[in-house]
Amino acid sequence: MAEYYSAELAEKVVRGMTENVLKGINNGGQITFGYKLNAERKFEPHETFAPILQEIFTMYADGHTIKYIVDYLDEKKIRSYRGGKINGTGVQRMLSNRRYLGEYKFRDVTVPNIIPPLVSEDVFERVQQRLAKNKKAPARHKAEDDYLLTLKLFCGKCHTHMVGESGMGTSRVYRYYKCANTKKVHICDKKAVRKDWIEDLVVEKAMKVLHDDKLVEYLTERIFVLQGEENPRIPHLKGQLADTEKRIKNLMNAIEQGIITDTTKDRLAQLESKKKEIEIAILQEKIKKPFLTKEQIQFGIERFRNLDITTLEGKRRLIDGFVNSIYLYDDKFTITFNFKDGTQTVFFSEIEATKNSDIKSLGAPFIT
């Protein structure tokens, strides 16, 4: 009997917690950073911590590292709800938490849009892409400084990623990029390239592109036009709104025909509430995408010209913001930037006069 009542109690607890999730009511435990609970134990944005949480997502989406964010929070004396310092693990959990999209989950039940979202889907997706990229990078953190071209640098011979490697010499550590097919299965004979040499060369070329006034003018015009395109989340919300209004209309028709029960009234109240939430969400999405003038856009692009490329963070922001991919051959490399027709080919013979090439010119491989 004791076992029976214990199992029955557990089932009731699970059922009650599931019902809480469906209503957006907190099930107890530590409150998620950025939220607070109202009198009904429902989640609301915290006046102080919600903006901080949004800033954390924005910083990481814009290219800052988790360590940079941890140091920033510590410098600003920002602490967790329990009063402790926020470490890298804590920041990583925040960045992976889908609750900030408005989702509430318990066991196998996930309810979307049941609590106020703190982060837009666009920013959240950009953050997840960066997290996945850093997780996949096999040699990203082998050295004290990052391999900035990880997942961007490709072998010109076999078109496979070139990955970061390091080795100890007689007096110092040597860092370089090596073709993954050479490293793992030895099916490519592409030579390794020194890390600092290729990274500095890419940074130099990217900075040169940024100082092209005609290109900046082109990018400004293109971004200005793209602003006119509708937020991809808005059509989805409008579809939900139309479906909800249709359901309300059907219920109203049923009521007019005399079909009215407590369930009908409750369902109508739920749909009316959902309609208001969707309408508010549409307005929030429109507010999230302020329209920038051409002058503001150009100013934003030109700020990259002032990056301190002597620092790791400056190099990273420049590479992440403008460089799409680099294909490295024996006598040249091609670099593709993040805009249409943004591909350049640089022969090492052209730079030998001003900079010592790290690669002997052995002739480019045949490409079909």
Side-chain angles (χ1 to χ4, degrees):
M1 289 297 291
E3 289 180 5
Y4 169 77
Y5 283 118
S6 177
E8 184 182 33
L9 177 62
E11 183 179 344
K12 288 181 178 179
V13 169
V14 170
R15 189 185 309 125
M17 296 181 77
T18 302
E19 289 176 357
N20 283 344
V21 170
L22 295 174
K23 296 175 183 177
I25 297 175
N26 181 41
N27 268 326
Q30 179 67 33
I31 302 173
T32 307
F33 186 88
Y35 287 105
K36 66 178 183 178
L37 300 180
N38 60 21
E40 298 175 341
R41 292 193 298 120
K42 292 187 175 183
F43 292 91
E44 290 183 354
H46 193 287
E47 297 85 353
T48 302
F49 294 106
I52 293 172
L53 183 280
Q54 292 164 345
E55 188 175 8
I56 289 172
F57 268 84
T58 300
M59 284 194 293
Y60 191 77
D62 287 346
H64 291 291
T65 64
I66 289 179
K67 184 180 183 304
Y68 177 92
I69 295 171
V70 169
D71 292 342
Y72 172 82
L73 296 175
D74 188 42
E75 180 184 347
K76 299 293 183 181
K77 307 297 182 184
I78 297 169
R79 299 292 183 258
S80 68
Y81 285 165
R82 293 180 176 177
K85 289 185 178 182
I86 300 174
N87 58 24
T89 302
V91 171
Q92 182 123 10
R93 286 174 181 168
M94 290 181 197
L95 296 173
S96 305
N97 194 343
R98 295 189 64 84
R99 185 170 293 181
Y100 295 125
L101 285 176
E103 292 184 5
Y104 197 11
K105 182 177 181 180
F106 175 68
R107 291 197 168 186
D108 57 346
V109 177
T110 301
V111 184
N113 304 317
I114 195 66
I115 60 178
L118 298 185
V119 180
S120 69
E121 287 190 1
D122 175 61
V123 171
F124 190 87
E125 182 58 31
R126 284 164 55 199
V127 165
Q128 303 319 299
Q129 289 175 0
R130 278 207 71 207
L131 288 173
K133 170 184 171 181
N134 291 337
K135 185 177 180 180
K136 290 178 181 178
R140 187 91 190 204
H141 299 288
K142 283 188 176 181
E144 181 181 354
D145 51 348
D146 289 355
Y147 288 82
L148 302 178
L149 302 182
T150 299
L151 300 183
K152 291 180 182 287
L153 183 62
F154 295 84
C155 171
K157 290 191 173 184
C158 65
H159 292 192
T160 299
H161 282 107
M162 297 187 72
V163 296
E165 281 290 305
S166 63
M168 190 67 193
T170 55
S171 59
R172 65 187 181 95
V173 177
Y174 291 88
R175 301 183 179 98
Y176 50 91
Y177 290 94
K178 190 174 185 179
C179 173
N181 278 337
T182 303
K183 171 181 168 62
K184 293 180 180 179
V185 290
H186 305 289
I187 61 175
C188 181
D189 61 356
K190 184 77 187 75
K191 290 179 60 179
V193 60
R194 282 190 290 112
K195 172 187 179 297
D196 292 341
W197 181 84
I198 188 64
E199 287 181 355
D200 289 346
L201 195 55
V202 169
V203 166
E204 176 188 319
K205 295 301 176 184
M207 189 57 75
K208 186 175 182 180
V209 164
L210 273 173
H211 282 80
D212 184 338
D213 291 335
K214 289 185 178 180
L215 176 61
V216 171
E217 183 178 345
Y218 164 78
L219 292 176
T220 301
E221 289 288 342
R222 182 63 183 141
I223 295 172
F224 184 78
V225 171
L226 287 174
Q227 285 188 118
E229 298 181 3
E230 191 172 34
N231 184 327
R233 179 163 159 74
I234 292 179
H236 175 69
L237 289 170
K238 287 181 176 179
Q240 287 184 333
L241 181 62
D243 179 68
T244 303
E245 290 175 337
K246 181 180 178 181
R247 292 172 185 268
I248 292 174
K249 183 178 179 181
N250 290 339
L251 274 178
M252 292 299 297
N253 289 337
I255 292 172
E256 289 173 356
Q257 295 173 20
I259 306 172
I260 181 169
T261 65
D262 289 341
T263 303
T264 307
K265 290 188 289 184
D266 289 343
R267 181 58 178 155
L268 181 60
Q270 291 173 2
L271 289 172
E272 290 285 0
S273 177
K274 183 178 180 181
K275 178 184 175 182
K276 290 180 181 178
E277 291 175 358
I278 296 173
E279 288 173 339
I280 292 172
I282 291 174
L283 290 174
Q284 288 175 333
E285 288 299 324
K286 290 180 177 179
I287 292 172
K288 286 176 185 175
K289 190 179 179 183
F291 197 84
L292 301 176
T293 65
K294 290 183 179 179
E295 290 76 15
Q296 290 171 326
I297 295 170
Q298 183 170 336
F299 175 77
I301 297 173
E302 290 179 347
R303 282 186 63 186
F304 279 87
R305 294 179 175 178
N306 299 321
L307 286 174
D308 184 359
I309 57 174
T310 64
T311 66
L312 177 66
E313 190 62 28
K315 292 178 181 179
R316 179 187 293 109
R317 291 194 64 189
L318 183 63
I319 290 172
D320 286 350
F322 285 90
V323 178
N324 182 278
S325 61
I326 308 105
Y327 281 83
L328 184 64
Y329 303 94
D330 286 330
D331 65 337
K332 64 181 180 181
F333 73 91
T334 60
I335 179 170
T336 301
F337 298 100
N338 289 326
F339 57 89
K340 186 179 179 182
D341 301 325
T343 299
Q344 294 183 6
T345 298
V346 179
F347 286 89
F348 296 125
S349 58
E350 298 175 0
I351 61 175
E352 284 178 349
T354 57
K355 181 181 293 188
N356 292 326
S357 175
D358 190 58
I359 301 176
K360 300 290 185 181
S361 296
L362 301 176
F366 176 76
I367 303 175
T368 56

